[in-house]
Amino acid sequence: EVQLVESGGGLVQPGGSLRLSCAVSGFTFSSYWMSWVRQAPGKGLEWVANIKQDGSEKYYVDSVKGRFTISRDNAKNSLYLEMNSLRADDTAVYYCARGGSYPGIWGQGTLVTVSS
Amino acid sequence: EIVLTQSPGTLSLSPGERATLSCRASQSVASSYLAWYQQKPGQAPRLLIYGASSRATGIPDRFSGSGSGTDFTLTISRLEPEDFAVYYCQQYGSSPRTFGQGTKVEIK
């Protein structure tokens, strides 16, 4: 069974940092682009970042450039999102998704709340 | 960045009726690289359509997509009770990928 399981969310103060992880199973992780997509409470979807199979290409939405870093460890079947200088408007459910174009498999998400 | 505008914001229909959802892009979407997703409360999005008109695996044929360039449409031929949800379009012809703001299909 294909599974993507996010972890690492929680409450963090403005200006703080958090590292999200996504553990995958049931498919050959190293064969796929991967993405992070977020959804603020009661709002729509926003693409955050994606990464090529070997990590050689990465793309970010402008609002997170210089603050967030997407990475992967193919040996551990894991995707990461390092988030620094967090702001209130980063509060959202963060989804890990398989694919860099039109993700067909999504995790259930992890909630990040940025608040003092 | 390509901005996607979906209309209407909310569509109130009855089961069995036809739903037509629109997605308009601020510039042409390369090679019709447009997808549609369905999202229900508390759930992750579900891929319905990619390449503007290709149904994803397991998606019923009452869902169809059409369009090219800047204008795209998702049609649900006959609404089933489980189809009442929010629908998003998303372009992948350029980076960053972008989503529309969503159309809610609610029971009338």
Side-chain angles (χ1 to χ4, degrees):
Chain A
E1 180 190 6
V2 174
Q3 274 197 313
L4 290 76
V5 179
E6 302 93 337
S7 62
L11 176 63
V12 61
Q13 293 189 337
S17 298
L18 216 51
R19 189 196 199 203
L20 305 183
S21 299
C22 173
V24 314
S25 58
F27 65 96
T28 305
F29 178 66
S30 59
S31 296
Y32 290 86
W33 278 77
M34 296 293 295
S35 300
W36 288 100
V37 177
R38 68 184 178 182
Q39 187 168 35
K43 302 297 183 183
L45 301 169
E46 181 181 41
W47 199 288
V48 175
N50 56 7
I51 184 169
K52 195 176 179 179
Q53 290 91 329
D54 62 358
S56 61
E57 293 182 38
K58 306 175 185 181
Y59 299 93
Y60 300 91
V61 67
D62 282 351
S63 60
V64 308
K65 281 180 183 175
R67 300 188 300 123
F68 290 12
T69 302
I70 189 172
S71 63
R72 63 192 297 160
D73 186 334
N74 288 342
K76 294 184 177 180
N77 289 338
S78 293
L79 177 72
Y80 306 102
L81 187 67
E82 187 77 38
M83 305 186 294
N84 298 315
S85 303
L86 283 161
R87 311 186 303 221
D89 63 357
D90 294 317
T91 294
V93 173
Y94 285 74
Y95 294 101
C96 161
R98 187 180 82 174
S101 294
Y102 51 91
I105 306 290
W106 297 62
Q108 282 307 299
T110 187
L111 176 62
V112 172
T113 304
V114 184
S115 174
S116 55
Chain B
E1 169 177 318
I2 295 179
V3 176
L4 299 178
T5 302
Q6 293 185 239
S7 61
T10 301
L11 202 49
S12 298
L13 295 168
S14 301
E17 290 195 293
R18 181 184 187 90
T20 303
L21 287 67
S22 174
C23 176
R24 178 162 289 178
S26 60
Q27 55 189 281
S28 184
V29 176
S31 304
S32 296
Y33 285 160
L34 189 109
W36 290 92
Y37 299 84
Q38 176 194 69
Q39 188 179 33
K40 297 178 181 179
Q43 296 185 15
R46 173 194 183 197
L47 177 67
L48 300 174
I49 301 285
Y50 63 93
S53 60
S54 297
R55 271 187 301 278
T57 302
I59 301 304
D61 61 7
R62 65 180 181 273
F63 291 92
S64 63
S66 62
S68 63
T70 61
D71 289 297
F72 299 87
T73 301
L74 174 70
T75 302
I76 310 171
S77 58
R78 287 178 55 85
L79 282 164
E80 297 289 340
E82 62 268 27
D83 298 337
F84 292 92
V86 179
Y87 293 83
Y88 295 94
C89 59
Q90 175 243 318
Q91 67 80 24
Y92 53 97
S94 63
S95 288
R97 313 315 191 195
T98 49
F99 289 92
Q101 82 281 16
T103 290
K104 182 179 182 179
V105 179
E106 65 176 22
I107 299 176
K108 186 174 181 179

